[in-house]
Amino acid sequence: MLASVTLTAPARVHLGFFDLSATIGRRFGSFGLALDAPVTRVTVRRAASSSVEGFEAGRARRHLDTLIRALSLPGHYAVHVEEAIPAHAGLGSGTQLALALAGAIRTLEGLPLAPGEDALRLGRAARSGIGVGLFETGGLVVDGGRGGRDAPPPVLVRLAVPEDWRIVLVFDERLQGVHGPDEAKAFRDLPPFPEAAAARICHLVLMQALPALAAADLPAFGAAVGEIQARLGEYFAPAQGGPFTSPAVREAVRFLVARGGHGPGQSSWGPTGFVFAPSPRAAGDLVSAFHRERRDDGVRLAVAAARNAGARLETTAAANRAEGPLPRLHHRR
């Protein structure tokens, strides 16, 4: 019997939606990639009574109560959220917390993993399927948008990201991205997404971004991401106060692009922005230049690599400990 299970889930950068108005039948559709940092790390043990401590304890407690009821679990659990992706920063914190907790409990109880089911059960994957896809596989994934079924958007493509590429993240910790009821309202209030813009974004993804990624051509990949982000930023501007949620992040991203950054944008509702760099050294040079020349912007920069694997699983049975990627996932139909 397992004594404890720890699941570490990666943050993600959301690179953009394809068709927000279901022009030809499916709504949203998106692509994004997993990061090696920040992460959400959750440890679960059996206990005499259930408890939750650490980061995001309130949200984790609600998820725990839902899982105990939904899975008809007989016991109690001590949950420790050891690390957490910043909440409402555009990096997928809510989905990864939900999936990490669900996956840890399922593993502890010997149940098959079912991230798609758990995402819906815990109120995640309402629009984008990349959070579930990246939890499972890492890399860069493309989802096919929401159809008529009550299921997460299907993952259509998964590609590895070149190991040398780096993502420079730009944080504004004074702000939070649109979320919760405000997010639902924003989607209701925004005008229909132009069909021509949706067609252009789909073309850019299929015929430029993905081939460029497969060929490790960062300038071409960045050009596609940059155009997609510019179009989406203009569309979302009425709901978030401009093409970026944070004006300071927008200016920092512009600075980094002027110094050689590629593929500028904002992840989801932000406020986190990003640019790509071709190597660790190039990313370090961008950060150094920013710190030399723009010290009072109120933003923080960090460098991440893409993570080409999904969530990491660690188990302890008595004195024995095992670590590795998630086992093969079982999907229920």
Side-chain angles (χ1 to χ4, degrees):
M1 179 179 289
L2 294 177
S4 70
V5 175
T6 299
L7 245 169
T8 304
R12 58 97 173 114
V13 167
H14 195 290
L15 297 175
F17 285 115
F18 306 155
D19 186 350
L20 292 121
S21 298
T23 304
I24 56 172
R26 299 190 70 89
R27 192 177 182 195
F28 301 117
S30 60
F31 73 136
L33 57 87
L35 303 173
D36 67 347
V39 300
T40 289
R41 180 178 171 88
V42 178
T43 295
V44 179
R45 298 178 176 84
R46 292 185 180 84
S49 60
S50 291
S51 63
V52 180
E53 63 178 12
F55 296 92
E56 296 287 324
R59 192 191 301 194
R61 180 70 206 219
R62 292 190 293 274
H63 290 333
L64 175 62
D65 292 343
T66 299
L67 289 165
I68 289 173
R69 291 194 304 271
L71 301 179
S72 300
L73 299 174
H76 299 280
Y77 306 92
V79 175
H80 183 198
V81 184
E82 301 172 28
E83 298 180 62
I85 300 161
H88 311 309
L91 297 175
S93 62
T95 297
Q96 299 311 311
L97 175 64
L99 296 181
L101 177 58
I105 289 176
R106 283 179 175 274
T107 303
L108 190 67
E109 295 294 355
L111 298 173
L113 297 180
E117 292 179 17
D118 290 330
L120 292 178
R121 181 176 287 122
L122 299 174
R124 313 309 305 175
R127 300 176 182 87
S128 172
I130 65 172
V132 175
L134 293 173
F135 179 85
E136 294 181 296
T137 69
L140 179 143
V141 300
V142 177
D143 81 66
R146 291 197 66 84
R149 297 176 56 202
D150 185 18
V155 172
L156 307 179
V157 175
R158 190 272 180 187
L159 291 174
V161 180
E163 296 291 336
D164 282 346
W165 287 12
R166 291 295 182 268
I167 303 93
V168 180
L169 301 171
V170 184
F171 296 96
D172 186 340
E173 291 159 343
R174 301 164 298 182
L175 299 175
Q176 292 186 335
V178 178
H179 61 278
D182 290 339
E183 181 181 19
K185 183 178 185 301
F187 277 110
R188 287 196 304 270
D189 292 348
L190 285 165
F193 194 67
E195 183 175 356
R200 175 63 178 167
I201 289 173
C202 291
H203 192 244
L204 285 166
V205 171
L206 181 62
M207 298 305 293
Q208 184 168 338
L210 295 183
L213 179 64
D217 183 346
L218 181 56
F221 178 81
V225 170
E227 182 178 338
I228 292 166
Q229 283 282 317
R231 289 175 176 271
L232 292 172
E234 181 179 357
Y235 175 73
F236 285 115
Q240 63 186 15
F244 284 74
T245 294
S246 166
V249 169
R250 178 192 63 207
E251 293 307 312
V253 166
R254 287 178 177 173
F255 175 91
L256 296 171
V257 169
R259 300 304 187 280
H262 299 272
Q266 172 183 281
S267 183
S268 188
W269 289 104
T272 306
F274 60 84
V275 300
F276 288 83
S279 67
R281 180 174 180 177
D285 288 345
L286 287 174
V287 173
S288 296
F290 183 85
H291 287 158
R292 281 196 311 269
E293 300 178 43
R294 300 179 66 92
R295 296 182 180 177
D296 298 319
D297 287 63
V299 300
R300 178 175 65 86
L301 271 57
V303 176
R307 176 171 170 78
N308 285 315
R312 186 172 70 252
L313 179 67
E314 304 163 55
T315 61
T316 302
N320 300 319
R321 180 173 178 273
E323 179 176 347
L326 290 176
R328 183 176 180 83
L329 298 170
H330 300 272
H331 297 280
R332 297 179 183 173
R333 296 293 183 185

